């Protein structure tokens, strides 16, 4: 691929609901640009973006793909992101390096949950954006309705640039709202000028009013002229749109048909015309030696620096670190410093990446997106810079995973292979996490949703040839006591020669400290138990609290007092006192009103107003205590509740179903509480020998 200077680059992220047409839009653009000689489709499994076997099987995007397109002397780096919330981390990574966004809407399906989520992502990053309405060749597609809904949601920002011309149920052309002229497609795929159809004038008037209103919002002078009834020239409109699109006060709405390849030429022209090149964007880091701000601003003349926004660690194509050059010009064999890892990285060759294909490039200018192969230590969200001017950029905040399952190897002996494979997958996917829960004898896999974890399971089987079983996790219950006990145990064993003898008398009571498993005290007098056996007694307690006598869960908040006992000068040993203590602990614990404690989470659920009743009703069924509700901007409610961890199982699926995918939740550990009798009975019964 050719080398492009900063002013000739556009970095555009494609966002929108799953299935709205982002991937097919990339296909149409790639075909019309001459990159490919045929247009692929998700149904046929032959698209540039969705190359992974799991993506082809599910017919949805699971990962962000970078597709650099050369168009009219410019390089447009398109970042095609997954539309479903299950893979939100991929979209967050892409948005972090985009300079503008296209939010894709299916003209057939209309505005969906993913559309609103895409808008919110752009708002967080203050990204210039456009809407592109696909499926305009479908008879049921209603461009006018979508524009009206967008205006209701986002106000006067919305500026429709085009109107579809439909005749005999065919998408035959469009009206340019700025020029108030019509164009129709001909057999060559180009357009011919034509008159605006009579039936389009009413819609043209509505869209023209919306466009002019958006233009008027860009300055006080224009606003005054608008209210005075003045008209704007085409040049004035375009100039205002240039400013307005970049600062976010104008959001154009374009439309087309991906399958027919119509609307792409105007879209690409408007990307180049209205979206900012990186050198018109701000970008700042911190110089680690002085703590001063490093204003990179994608300036090619400043010291080299780059940000790693994504990692590909594929067993077939190898490891690539996807970067955005924030300053300077990167060249092959450059040596850059990773401040976070305190290592130098030799870059080797530079690449541009297109789906799963890499192409060598001579250099990467500030603002460009490229790939580096086989960096030794660097990871996603790390910064590369020079040792002379070490810089760090703010790491992208990636959504935290809250859904987890227990996982086990299907085939014994695969544990190491699974661990290595998961480590590579976690390098690629920052919303995936593996946790060793040694207290409860399980390994846990965390993800964004049950579907996310199901995809991980399938990828392990398909790519890494290892199988895991996902199951309901063992909840981290704990055991404690509410009463006191006084007990003893004498361990005596004769087996010829030296025997075993250990005798302890202990008292047990609540310690009052639920953060600590046990407190051990000894008040032995008269040498009934020699001091050298005290450590063995404590070791017996330490072993006992790992798996309690009630339901085999860890014990907490117990005080054990050794006050008496006896020993044998020949047969006593550390082992004998340890065993005697373990047996005394079991008996004493069960005599001291043992109870089961369950972990409680502080839950936060954010849902649209209309679903609040359903969510509250479901939380009550899950033994949750609703603590309150806070209204949030955009017609949302934040529901706060305390809920047992046990009741969070499959909550993501239920919430998705209740709110049609619009609800999100998060939680954190709050405390332990005594489990209700029926819950405790069930756990005790389940864990009986």
């Amino acid at each position: 691929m050719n080398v492009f200077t900063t002013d000739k680059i556009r970095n555009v992220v494609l966002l929108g609901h799953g299935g709205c047409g982002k991937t097919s839009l990339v296909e149409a653009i790639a075909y019309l640009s001459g990159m490919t000689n045929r247009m692929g489709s998700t149904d046929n499994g032959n698209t540039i973006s969705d190359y992974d076997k799991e993506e082809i099987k599910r017919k949805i995007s699971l990962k962000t793909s970078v597709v650099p397109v050369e168009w009219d002397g410019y390089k447009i780096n398109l970042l095609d992101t997954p539309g479903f919330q299950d893979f939100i981390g991929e979209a967050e990574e892409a948005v972090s390096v985009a300079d503008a966004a296209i939010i894709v809407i299916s003209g057939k399906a209309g505005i969906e949950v993913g559309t609103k989520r895409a808008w919110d992502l752009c708002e967080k990053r203050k990204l210039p954006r456009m809407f592109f309405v696909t499926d305009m060749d479908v008879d049921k597609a209603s461009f006018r309705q979508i524009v009206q809904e967008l205006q209701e949601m986002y106000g006067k920002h919305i500026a429709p640039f085009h109107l579809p011309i439909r005749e005999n149920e065919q998408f035959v052309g469009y009206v340019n709202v700025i020029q108030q002229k019509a164009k129709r497609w001909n057999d060559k795929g180009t357009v011919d000028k034509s008159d605006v159809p009579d039936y389009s004038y009413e819609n043209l008037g509505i869209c023209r009013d919306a466009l002019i209103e958006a233009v008027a919002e860009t300055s006080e002078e224009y606003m005054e002229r608008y209210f005075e009834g003045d008209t704007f020239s085409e040049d004035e409109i375009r100039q205002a749109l240039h400013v307005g699109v970049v600062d976010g006060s104008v959001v154009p709405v374009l439309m087309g048909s991906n399958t027919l390849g119509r609307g792409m030429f105007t879209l690409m022209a408007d990307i180049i015309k209205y979206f900012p090149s990186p050198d018109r964007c701000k970008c700042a880091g911190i110089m680690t030696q002085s703590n001063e701000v490093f204003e990179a601003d994608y300036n090619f003349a400043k010291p080299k620096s780059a940000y790693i926004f994504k990692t590909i660690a594929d067993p077939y194509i190898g490891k690539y670190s996807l970067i955005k050059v924030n300053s300077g010009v990167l060249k092959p064999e450059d040596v850059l410093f990773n401040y976070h890892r305190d290592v130098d990285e030799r870059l080797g060759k530079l690449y541009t990446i297109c789906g799963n294909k890499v192409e060598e490039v001579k250099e990467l200018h500030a603002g460009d997106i490229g790939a580096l192969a086989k960096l030794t230590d660097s990871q996603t969200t790390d910064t590369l810079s020079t040792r002379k001017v070490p810089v760090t950029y703010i790491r992208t905040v990636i959504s935290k995973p809250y859904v987890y399952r227990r996982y086990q190897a299907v085939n014994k002996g695969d544990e190491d292979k699974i661990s290595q494979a998961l480590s590579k997958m976690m390098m690629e996917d920052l919303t995936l996490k593996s946790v060793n829960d040694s207290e409860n004898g399980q390994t846990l896999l965390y993800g964004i949703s049950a579907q996310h974890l199901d995809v991980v399971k399938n990828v392990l089987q398909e790519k890494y040839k290892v199988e895991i079983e996902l199951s309901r996790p063992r909840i981290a219950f704990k055991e404690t006591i509410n009463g006191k006990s006084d007990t003893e145990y004498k361990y005596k064993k004769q087996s010829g020669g030296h025997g075993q003898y250990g005798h302890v008398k202990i008292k047990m009571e609540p310690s009052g400290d639920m953060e600590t498993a046990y407190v051990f005290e000894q008040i032995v007098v008269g040498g009934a138990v020699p001091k050298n056996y005290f450590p063995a007694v404590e070791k017996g307690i330490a072993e006992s609290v790992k798996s309690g006598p009630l339901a085999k869960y860890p014990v907490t908040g117990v005080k054990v007092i050794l006050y008496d006992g006896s020993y044998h000068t020949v047969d006593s040993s550390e082992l004998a006192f340890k065993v005697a203590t373990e047996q005394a602990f079991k008996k004493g614990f069960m005599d001291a009103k043992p109870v089961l404690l369950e972990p409680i989470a502080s839950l936060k659920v954010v849902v649209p107003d209309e679903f609040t009743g359903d969510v509250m009703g479901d939380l009550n069924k899950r033994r949750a205590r609703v603590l309150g509700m806070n209204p949030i901007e955009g017609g949302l409610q934040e529901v706060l509740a305390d809920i047992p961890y046990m009741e969070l199982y499959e909550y993501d699926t239920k919430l998705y179903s209740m709110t049609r995918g619009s609800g999100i939740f998060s939680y954190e550990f709050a405390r332990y509480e005594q489990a209700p009798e029926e819950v405790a009975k069930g756990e005790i019964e389940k864990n009986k020998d």
Side-chain angles (χ1 to χ4, degrees):
M1 181 169 261
N2 295 324
V3 172
F4 288 83
T5 54
T6 310
D7 60 318
K8 296 290 185 182
I9 294 167
R10 301 289 185 273
N11 297 309
V12 183
V13 61
L14 302 184
L15 301 169
H17 195 80
C20 67
K22 298 182 294 296
T23 299
S24 59
L25 177 60
V26 171
E27 285 299 309
I29 292 168
Y31 173 69
L32 293 171
S33 72
M35 270 179 70
T36 58
N37 55 16
R38 57 104 185 99
M39 216 186 290
S41 74
T42 49
D43 285 338
N44 294 332
N46 58 351
T47 64
I48 299 169
S49 299
D50 294 353
Y51 55 84
D52 188 270
K53 282 186 180 177
E54 194 67 17
E55 291 178 310
I56 293 166
K57 183 177 88 177
R58 292 176 183 260
K59 297 184 179 177
I60 60 170
S61 298
L62 304 176
K63 296 179 178 179
T64 290
S65 290
V66 182
V67 180
V69 178
E70 292 189 41
W71 191 282
D72 201 19
Y74 288 79
K75 180 185 183 187
I76 319 291
N77 288 312
L78 296 173
L79 296 119
D80 180 18
T81 66
F84 291 107
Q85 176 68 13
D86 316 73
F87 314 104
I88 186 66
E90 296 285 331
E92 289 166 336
E93 287 175 345
V95 166
S96 74
V97 293
D99 302 317
I102 293 172
I103 302 175
V104 181
I105 301 173
S106 164
K108 184 172 55 176
I111 293 166
E112 299 173 271
V113 171
T115 314
K116 299 170 187 173
R117 198 166 279 135
W119 178 276
D120 292 340
L121 276 172
C122 292
E123 283 289 284
K124 277 183 190 173
R125 299 278 309 185
K126 294 186 168 50
L127 278 187
R129 71 212 75 155
M130 293 179 186
F131 286 103
F132 186 79
V133 182
T134 63
D135 296 325
M136 291 314 300
D137 54 312
V138 177
D139 192 41
K140 290 182 180 177
S142 175
F143 183 75
R144 178 182 170 180
Q145 186 181 337
I146 287 170
V147 169
Q148 285 177 337
E149 285 182 31
L150 288 173
Q151 287 171 333
E152 285 167 16
M153 289 164 63
Y154 305 122
K156 297 171 184 176
H157 298 300
I158 303 303
F161 275 22
H162 304 116
L163 267 179
I165 299 175
R166 305 177 62 85
E167 290 174 0
N168 301 319
E169 299 183 356
Q170 300 292 314
F171 178 43
V172 296
Y174 65 93
V175 178
N176 185 312
V177 178
I178 300 172
Q179 297 173 335
Q180 301 184 84
K181 292 177 182 174
K183 292 177 182 177
R184 291 172 182 263
W185 283 286
N186 55 37
D187 295 338
K188 298 173 187 173
T190 55
V191 290
D192 296 324
K193 292 178 182 177
S194 73
D195 295 328
V196 176
D198 292 340
Y199 57 79
S200 293
Y201 273 107
E202 185 184 344
N203 281 348
L204 175 58
I206 293 168
C207 289
R208 176 80 177 176
D209 289 345
L211 178 71
I212 297 302
E213 199 168 347
V215 167
E217 291 280 328
T218 60
S219 75
E220 287 183 17
E221 181 198 336
Y222 277 21
M223 184 63 79
E224 282 177 25
R225 286 176 57 187
Y226 173 74
F227 281 123
E228 287 168 4
D230 197 0
T231 56
F232 300 110
S233 69
E234 187 179 323
D235 285 344
E236 285 176 323
I237 291 171
R238 291 196 184 278
Q239 187 182 357
L241 291 174
H242 270 286
V243 175
V245 171
V246 170
D247 69 16
S249 60
V250 176
V251 180
V253 187
L254 289 79
M255 52 87 219
S257 164
N258 298 346
T259 51
L260 298 177
R262 292 179 175 174
M264 277 82 240
F265 284 97
T266 50
L267 173 64
M268 295 302 277
D270 285 345
I271 285 173
I272 293 166
K273 201 183 297 177
Y274 295 111
F275 278 165
S277 55
D279 56 356
R280 292 182 63 195
C281 302
K282 293 289 181 187
C283 172
I286 298 292
M287 289 188 279
T288 59
Q289 290 174 337
S290 62
N291 277 339
E292 291 176 7
V293 174
F294 178 72
E295 292 179 353
D297 294 340
Y298 306 110
N299 188 332
F300 74 93
K302 291 196 174 180
K304 303 175 195 229
S305 69
Y307 176 74
I308 302 172
F309 71 93
K310 182 173 175 55
T311 301
I312 296 173
D314 192 282
Y316 302 118
I317 68 170
K319 181 191 170 187
Y320 288 92
S321 300
L322 273 58
I323 59 160
K324 185 179 188 185
V325 183
N326 288 353
S327 59
V329 178
L330 296 195
K331 297 187 177 178
E333 303 303 324
D334 275 346
V335 176
L336 293 182
F337 175 60
N338 184 328
Y339 165 77
H340 307 286
R341 315 284 163 197
D342 193 25
V343 293
D344 287 316
E345 295 274 21
R346 182 173 291 280
L347 304 191
K349 293 176 181 177
L350 304 177
Y351 301 94
T352 56
I353 196 157
C354 181
N356 65 342
K357 293 182 174 63
V358 294
E359 187 180 336
E360 204 174 325
V361 66
K362 290 178 183 175
E363 53 190 35
L364 288 168
H365 282 242
D368 207 350
I369 286 172
L372 306 173
K374 298 173 184 174
L375 294 184
T376 312
D377 297 292
S378 298
Q379 296 176 19
T380 306
T381 74
D382 283 357
T383 297
L384 299 173
S385 58
T386 62
R387 264 201 181 268
K388 195 174 179 183
V389 186
V391 175
T392 180
Y393 294 101
I394 294 173
R395 294 180 184 274
T396 305
V397 177
I398 303 294
S399 290
K400 185 177 174 183
Y402 289 102
V403 176
Y404 63 100
R405 298 286 183 271
R406 180 180 190 172
Y407 75 93
Q408 292 168 293
V410 170
N411 302 311
K412 282 188 177 179
D414 274 357
E415 287 80 7
D416 283 348
K417 287 182 188 172
I418 291 167
S419 176
Q420 287 167 18
L422 280 175
S423 150
K424 286 180 182 174
M425 290 179 74
M426 287 187 285
M427 200 184 292
E428 285 190 290
D429 183 355
L430 300 187
T431 62
L432 184 65
K433 193 168 69 169
S434 175
V435 174
N436 180 24
D437 179 15
S438 55
E439 263 197 356
N440 294 288
Q442 59 185 355
T443 42
L444 303 172
L445 197 59
Y446 280 79
I448 295 295
S449 66
Q451 176 166 290
H452 182 202
L453 295 179
D454 188 52
V455 166
V456 170
K457 176 186 171 182
N458 288 356
V459 170
L460 283 170
Q461 188 172 349
E462 184 63 47
K463 268 193 189 176
Y464 295 95
K465 311 302 178 193
V466 287
E467 288 185 66
I468 61 168
E469 180 186 15
L470 296 173
S471 58
R472 185 168 189 154
R474 181 174 155 96
I475 297 299
F477 285 92
K478 288 194 176 182
E479 301 177 21
T480 193
I481 53 175
N482 282 341
K484 297 182 178 182
S485 65
D486 187 341
T487 188
E488 67 173 305
Y489 190 88
K490 188 181 288 183
Y491 178 62
K492 194 175 180 183
K493 195 173 180 184
Q494 238 11 86
S495 56
H498 281 309
Q500 293 286 349
Y501 184 91
H503 176 209
V504 295
K505 293 183 179 181
I506 60 172
K507 290 179 181 176
M508 294 178 71
E509 61 186 48
S511 69
D513 178 8
M514 300 307 286
E515 301 293 316
T516 309
Y518 69 91
V519 174
F520 172 59
E521 282 185 14
Q522 61 76 26
I523 51 172
V524 177
V525 291
V529 177
K531 285 181 183 178
N532 56 310
Y533 293 128
F534 291 169
V537 171
E538 183 164 8
K539 194 180 275 187
I541 298 165
E543 283 296 316
S544 299
V545 297
K546 288 178 184 176
S547 179
L550 187 63
K552 297 184 179 172
Y553 286 107
V555 170
T556 191
V558 172
K559 184 175 182 180
V560 183
I561 304 162
L562 175 67
Y563 71 91
D564 203 356
S566 62
Y567 74 101
H568 190 281
T569 51
V570 176
D571 291 347
S572 283
S573 66
E574 288 187 4
L575 176 63
F577 273 96
K578 178 175 172 288
V579 172
T581 303
E582 287 172 354
Q583 295 303 319
F585 185 95
K586 280 182 189 174
K587 187 173 182 302
F589 190 90
M590 296 306 288
D591 290 344
K593 298 180 183 173
V595 291
L596 199 63
L597 302 173
E598 67 175 339
I600 304 295
S602 293
L603 176 70
K604 201 181 281 183
V605 187
V606 178
V607 290
D609 275 334
E610 71 234 58
F611 301 118
T612 309
D614 291 341
V615 168
M616 300 271 275
D618 180 67
L619 287 175
N620 287 330
K621 287 179 194 170
R622 292 173 182 267
R623 298 192 288 123
R625 285 195 297 274
V626 176
L627 305 175
M629 290 197 310
N630 301 316
I632 297 177
E633 195 179 339
L636 300 173
Q637 286 285 348
E638 180 186 67
V639 181
L640 303 174
D642 281 350
I643 187 170
Y645 269 73
M646 191 180 195
E647 303 295 341
L648 284 170
Y649 183 66
E650 293 185 338
Y651 184 63
D652 61 306
T653 309
K654 181 67 176 175
L655 184 65
Y656 186 93
S657 166
M658 280 189 299
T659 64
R660 295 181 215 144
S662 60
I664 57 169
F665 73 100
S666 60
Y667 62 86
E668 58 184 26
F669 173 76
R671 63 189 171 279
Y672 273 91
E673 283 182 4
Q674 188 170 329
E677 194 175 338
E678 63 238 43
V679 172
K681 269 184 185 173
E683 287 301 311
I684 292 165
E685 194 63 35
K686 189 170 74 179
N687 293 312
K688 269 186 179 175
D689 288 330

